Amino acid sequence: MKLLQVPTANLEERIKEELEENPALEVTEDHEDGSGEELKDEFDNKDEYEEADGSEDEYDNIDISEYVAEGDDDIADYKLRDDNYPDADEDRVMPHRVETSFHELLLDQLGMLVVDDRTRKIAEQIVGSIDDDGYLRRETASIADDLAFRQNIETTEEEIESLIRKIQQFDPPGVAARDLQECLLIQLHRKKNGVKSVDTAIDVLTYYFDEFTKKHYDKIQRGLNLDDDQLKDVINQIIKLNPKPGGDVTEVNKAESYVIPDFFITNNAGKLELSLNSKNAPDLRISEGYKEMLKEYDRGSKKDKRQKEAVLFIKQKIDAAKWFIDAIKQRQQTLYNTMHTIMDYQHDFFLTGDETTLRPMILKDIAERTALDISTVSRVANSKFVQTEFGTYRLKFFFSESLSTDSGEEVSTREVKKILSDLIEGESKKKPLSDEKLTELLQEKGYNIARRTVAKYREQLNIPVARLRKEL
């Protein structure tokens, strides 16, 4: 079950761990004839051993008949590639990202300060205190304490503040700010070239920051005596700024840098075809060297205790390898069957990409059709992705509750959210639709829905209230 939860992006690492721990398990293409040489001497030099003292009862009943049978290659057959496109997986190349981290970028710019070793260490401490999003949220006094206790450097808050102001001139603009207001102001001051709207934007963020964030534009206009066109110019200047200057260059964990699909769905002349991403599941098999040692032991006539101990060890490793191969096979089969059922259930969506065609679907629906436990379906849906011609989706995307229409038909809440999103997208931004109006429009379309439900769906879609959607 644990293997079922592992996404394709991490499966390769899990298999590598098992290969390192179990010498009886190997990848088919990497097989070498010397596998198991560390134990082969146990059989090659068997005539040199004398019968060991003590009872051998615990080793007398070792049954290795199933391991020495001919024709048992144990080659994995769980790849489940599409027979019509056998080379499709081989053409998919994993992208690799070459990057410089955000903090490395800042440290590279320290050379421009032209400072002595002591000042450089203070500056490095400041840079090290900057968060990944580009903000310096550590208090100046705390930075001074860190320097005193960890590096034995005495400094003052004034000296640290002076260096912070210099670091705030680094790229990306807005770095080392203590809050959003300071971050945006730093960027605006960098843009000052006699442009009136930039100077006005600085005044807005300096004296009316709260009003601006809450879109109380009338108060700003009255306070600074601005007409609508001037306010528009100010807003255009501010919305172009970057609220997270470190976000564009922050080093990202490679496992999270790219979405690696677990499934691929293609439309072949109106027929949906499903295939698993088997790139990170190599062909596994039992080591031939270990199997050969068991055969040699079976052919021998004299079997001392030391040899039997070695055989027991080999048998345990082979059993573990077989179990792992079976677990991988079961994982792939369960993934395929579950995704195939989801594909059939949401057939119209995978053909058209239209979210309004999604049917209400819960875990129980798929569990009943696959004869799997609900918890098993949940594990498959967790952290798994499917690539379609319309984009790549989380499997969780296809699960939604149902909602009744006026005609008594059950529709997916995903469909309702899509229509809600379309209504908001098509609204007049000068007069955005309130939740009450959105409720009326949905009810006119036949969806029985309450205003509080509309508000909940809007929040789930990360869409702000009407007042915050208003534009001039």
Side-chain angles (χ1 to χ4, degrees):
M1 281 300 179
K2 289 183 178 180
L3 278 178
L4 197 59
Q5 293 176 285
V6 178
T8 299
N10 304 112
L11 182 60
E12 184 179 21
E13 190 64 31
R14 176 66 184 88
I15 292 175
K16 284 182 179 179
E17 291 176 3
E18 193 69 23
L19 287 169
E20 291 173 0
E21 293 177 4
N22 191 347
L25 182 69
E26 66 182 17
V27 180
T28 302
E29 57 267 25
D30 295 335
H31 172 60
E32 297 180 1
D33 293 336
S35 298
E37 286 295 332
E38 68 278 6
L39 290 175
K40 194 170 178 57
D41 289 340
E42 301 292 339
F43 305 101
D44 290 342
N45 302 320
K46 59 186 177 183
D47 292 336
E48 298 178 8
Y49 299 141
E50 295 181 0
E51 194 71 25
D53 294 332
S55 172
E56 297 183 9
D57 290 344
E58 57 183 314
Y59 305 108
D60 285 342
N61 297 319
I62 300 177
D63 182 9
I64 62 172
S65 58
E66 62 177 301
Y67 303 94
V68 297
E70 296 296 333
D72 182 16
D73 293 331
D74 284 325
I75 297 177
D77 59 350
Y78 52 79
K79 302 281 280 186
L80 296 177
R81 294 181 179 175
D82 194 325
D83 294 336
N84 296 322
Y85 307 97
D87 299 325
D89 276 337
E90 302 304 325
D91 294 335
R92 298 188 180 104
V93 180
M94 279 288 295
H96 293 281
R97 180 170 176 164
V98 179
E99 58 187 17
T100 299
S101 74
F102 171 58
H103 288 87
E104 287 173 345
L105 179 64
L106 296 180
L107 291 173
D108 288 343
Q109 297 177 74
L110 283 181
M112 296 187 298
L113 293 179
V114 191
V115 293
D116 55 37
D117 288 343
R118 175 184 172 279
T119 308
R120 182 178 181 84
K121 289 181 180 179
I122 297 175
E124 288 177 347
Q125 184 69 35
I126 295 171
V127 169
S129 301
I130 296 175
D131 294 342
D132 287 341
D133 56 6
Y135 287 85
L136 179 62
R137 295 186 172 92
R138 190 156 179 77
E139 298 291 336
T140 306
S142 299
I143 295 176
D145 291 340
D146 292 341
L147 288 164
F149 290 113
R150 297 180 182 179
Q151 301 194 45
N152 198 27
I153 296 176
E154 293 294 334
T155 184
T156 63
E157 292 187 29
E158 290 74 16
E159 183 180 16
I160 293 174
E161 284 292 339
S162 175
L163 282 173
I164 289 174
R165 287 192 291 272
K166 292 179 179 179
I167 293 173
Q168 287 177 344
Q169 302 306 310
F170 288 180
D171 288 326
V175 70
R178 267 61 72 95
D179 53 41
L180 177 61
Q181 183 180 17
E182 184 179 20
C183 176
L184 299 179
L185 284 170
I186 290 172
Q187 296 177 59
L188 285 172
H189 281 292
R190 294 270 291 266
K191 293 175 65 176
K192 285 185 67 173
N193 282 316
V195 180
K196 178 64 175 176
S197 59
V198 174
D199 293 333
T200 307
I202 291 174
D203 290 338
V204 169
L205 294 185
T206 302
Y207 304 109
Y208 297 94
F209 181 74
D210 288 340
E211 287 80 1
F212 182 82
T213 57
K214 295 176 182 178
K215 291 196 174 185
H216 293 313
Y217 296 139
D218 53 338
K219 294 182 181 180
I220 298 174
Q221 287 182 281
R222 290 196 301 269
L224 296 177
N225 194 26
L226 302 177
D227 58 31
D228 288 347
D229 289 337
Q230 290 174 319
L231 183 60
K232 283 182 181 180
D233 290 340
V234 168
I235 293 173
N236 287 334
Q237 289 290 346
I238 295 175
I239 62 177
K240 293 176 183 177
L241 305 176
N242 186 358
K244 292 185 178 181
D248 294 336
V249 289
T250 298
E251 184 176 12
V252 181
N253 183 294
K254 285 182 171 55
E256 300 174 352
S257 297
Y258 301 94
V259 171
I260 301 178
D262 301 87
F263 312 93
F264 301 94
I265 293 180
T266 55
N267 185 345
N268 187 5
K271 180 182 179 182
L272 296 178
E273 295 178 349
L274 170 68
S275 61
L276 281 175
N277 184 353
S278 302
K279 193 71 176 179
N280 294 320
D283 291 317
L284 302 174
R285 72 174 184 184
I286 308 299
S287 167
E288 290 294 335
Y290 273 63
K291 290 167 66 177
E292 184 59 35
M293 282 188 288
L294 290 184
K295 292 178 182 179
E296 186 175 338
Y297 172 82
D298 187 58
R299 290 192 294 265
S301 58
K302 185 178 180 181
K303 300 178 176 64
D304 60 29
K305 183 177 180 180
R306 187 173 178 181
Q307 286 177 308
K308 292 179 180 179
E309 289 176 344
V311 166
L312 187 61
F313 171 81
I314 294 171
K315 182 176 180 294
Q316 290 171 345
K317 290 299 180 183
I318 290 178
D319 286 341
K322 284 188 172 183
W323 175 89
F324 188 77
I325 290 174
D326 288 342
I328 291 289
K329 179 179 178 180
Q330 183 179 5
R331 173 189 185 274
Q332 303 295 75
Q333 192 65 52
T334 301
L335 289 177
Y336 184 87
N337 291 342
T338 304
M339 186 64 234
H340 199 282
T341 303
I342 294 174
M343 182 181 72
D344 289 341
Y345 202 99
Q346 304 290 4
H347 184 268
D348 291 344
F349 170 81
F350 289 113
L351 277 180
T352 64
D354 185 358
E355 290 185 27
T356 60
T357 63
L358 285 170
R359 300 170 56 192
M361 184 179 77
I362 59 177
L363 295 173
K364 183 180 179 182
D365 295 326
I366 302 302
E368 290 176 348
R369 285 163 174 76
T370 56
L372 295 171
D373 190 84
I374 291 180
S375 62
T376 302
V377 177
S378 176
R379 289 185 178 95
V380 173
N382 187 41
S383 302
K384 303 295 190 304
F385 293 84
V386 57
Q387 180 176 306
T388 73
E389 59 183 289
F390 312 107
T392 300
Y393 300 87
R394 285 183 179 273
L395 259 61
K396 287 183 177 180
F397 172 83
F398 304 105
F399 291 88
S400 63
E401 299 289 341
S402 62
L403 187 74
S404 297
T405 63
D406 286 339
S407 61
E409 178 186 3
E410 287 193 345
V411 297
S412 169
T413 54
R414 178 74 64 183
E415 175 182 336
V416 179
K417 289 180 183 179
K418 172 61 177 168
I419 295 174
L420 176 63
S421 178
D422 290 342
L423 287 172
I424 294 175
E425 187 176 341
E427 70 185 0
S428 170
K429 297 306 177 185
K430 291 185 177 181
K431 192 176 181 181
L433 300 171
S434 65
D435 288 347
E436 289 80 2
K437 185 60 178 178
L438 289 169
T439 303
E440 292 176 8
L441 292 174
L442 285 169
Q443 290 177 346
E444 288 175 5
K445 292 179 178 290
Y447 298 101
N448 294 318
I449 190 169
R451 189 204 62 79
R452 63 179 179 275
T453 306
V454 169
K456 182 180 74 171
Y457 289 171
R458 177 179 49 74
E459 291 172 357
Q460 290 175 353
L461 292 168
N462 294 319
I463 298 175
V465 296
R467 179 171 56 80
L468 297 181
R469 301 199 305 272
K470 185 177 181 180
E471 297 177 3
L472 295 177

